[in-house]
Amino acid sequence: MTVLEDIIAGVREDLEARRAGIDDAAIRSRALAAPPARDAFAALGGTADGTGRDTVLRVVSEVKRKSPSKGALADIPAPADLAREYRDGGASVISVLTEERRFGGSLADFDAVRAAVDLPLLRKDFTVEPFQVWEARAHGADLVLLIVAALDDGPLRELLGLARELGMEALVETHTEDEVDRAVSAGARIIGVNVRNLKTLDVDRSNFARLAGRIPPSAVVIAESGVRDADDVAEYAAHGADAILVGEALVRDNAPADALRRFIAAGTAARPPRRA
């Protein structure tokens, strides 16, 4: 069993436990009654045809306590306070881990952040069932994560379609050429290239440069994982990243807002003219 398969097995068990406490009709009612989702595509610099974008690098800043590859990262006793620091540092979107077993997250963390900031929020979890999309919207999420390696084409399209029906977007995560092509075929508008292989947890930063050019200019391209410092950010930006998703480097920094500003400045300076 790969690391990804093991994580998803746990996610399904935890999902069934949550569903025992609230039925589908109730969670759908809460989702439909939630305030409208914020426009994460626009917040990340997206435009309808990919033209006319500015050159500012966007950052998706992550509330992340631990990871399968690094173990404990930070205690984060007050996720809302960290989220406010991210907002003040210039984050465009905030990602909140809600997977508990391997990442130490929870929907309670998500709720705390939602109450604290008005930025678009990504519910960062391993989405494999429609219930999780309804659940995300019920808690005020503006994006959900869809990992192509974890989903066949049918479920990928179904979950992406449901997210959009509910006014949200999806960050569709890829790691190989085939996964990028599947994401594009499914109609993804926000595509992440994760340089960490979730099946083995190995990191290859060159993977971003290899794959980013396969993504059409109409999509927002996000570089995920592997950010250690501003030089890494600049390298991703130089190879076509519209945004980066970073957690570890920020939660381990004693001044995350300042680190964010450095990342944005470095990435913006390195970005080439918008792809045509």
Side-chain angles (χ1 to χ4, degrees):
M1 179 179 286
T2 68
V3 175
L4 179 60
E5 289 169 338
D6 184 53
I7 291 172
I8 290 175
V11 164
R12 289 189 181 279
E13 289 181 13
D14 294 341
L15 172 59
E16 289 309 307
R18 293 198 307 278
R19 292 182 82 161
I22 183 170
D23 63 26
D24 287 19
I27 203 70
R28 291 185 183 204
S29 177
R30 285 179 52 187
L32 295 173
R38 295 150 188 81
D39 189 344
F41 183 67
L44 292 167
T47 59
D49 59 2
T51 63
R53 297 191 193 177
D54 59 41
T55 58
V56 175
L57 181 87
R58 268 69 174 183
V59 178
V60 181
S61 304
E62 196 152 79
V63 178
K64 182 178 186 180
R65 288 191 170 88
K66 63 181 185 179
S67 74
S69 61
K70 297 292 183 67
L73 301 175
D75 289 337
I76 314 181
D81 290 344
L82 179 58
R84 292 187 189 98
E85 290 198 63
Y86 286 164
R87 175 199 62 198
D88 295 345
S92 295
V93 171
I94 295 177
S95 168
V96 183
L97 263 300
T98 62
E99 197 280 336
E100 183 173 0
R101 299 188 185 203
R102 296 295 192 101
F103 294 89
S106 68
L107 282 166
D109 284 350
F110 190 95
D111 291 342
V113 173
R114 178 74 291 162
V117 298
D118 196 39
L119 294 174
L121 297 190
L122 166 65
R123 190 238 177 131
K124 184 80 175 293
D125 212 318
F126 295 77
T127 307
V128 291
E129 297 283 347
F131 181 90
Q132 293 166 286
V133 180
W134 287 99
E135 186 179 51
R137 185 81 279 273
H139 284 264
D142 308 292
L143 301 100
V144 293
L145 176 69
L146 302 179
I147 300 173
V148 176
L151 298 164
D152 292 333
D153 287 344
L156 174 62
R157 291 176 181 272
E158 177 189 11
L159 295 170
L160 178 58
L162 177 57
R164 289 189 176 151
E165 285 177 23
L166 295 177
M168 296 188 291
E169 269 293 344
L171 166 54
V172 181
E173 180 176 297
T174 66
H175 182 72
T176 67
E177 291 182 356
D178 176 65
E179 289 173 11
V180 169
D181 293 345
R182 289 175 58 206
V184 172
S185 179
R189 298 204 303 168
I190 303 173
I191 298 177
V193 175
N194 196 342
V195 303
R196 186 183 305 281
N197 184 337
L198 292 181
K199 296 179 180 178
T200 65
L201 302 184
D202 293 335
V203 171
D204 178 3
R205 291 176 184 82
S206 68
N207 200 45
F208 181 79
R210 187 171 64 85
L211 298 183
R214 298 182 72 87
I215 301 173
S218 56
V220 167
V221 183
I222 301 181
E224 301 181 53
S225 300
V227 172
R228 298 163 297 187
D229 52 33
D231 289 341
D232 289 332
V233 176
E235 182 177 357
Y236 285 148
H239 287 104
D242 299 309
I244 60 166
L245 188 153
V246 56
E248 179 184 343
L250 294 178
V251 300
R252 286 184 162 175
D253 196 293
N254 291 325
D258 291 340
L260 252 176
R261 294 185 188 102
R262 291 195 301 273
F263 290 171
I264 293 168
T268 298
R271 267 167 62 77
R274 181 61 197 166
R275 297 168 298 150

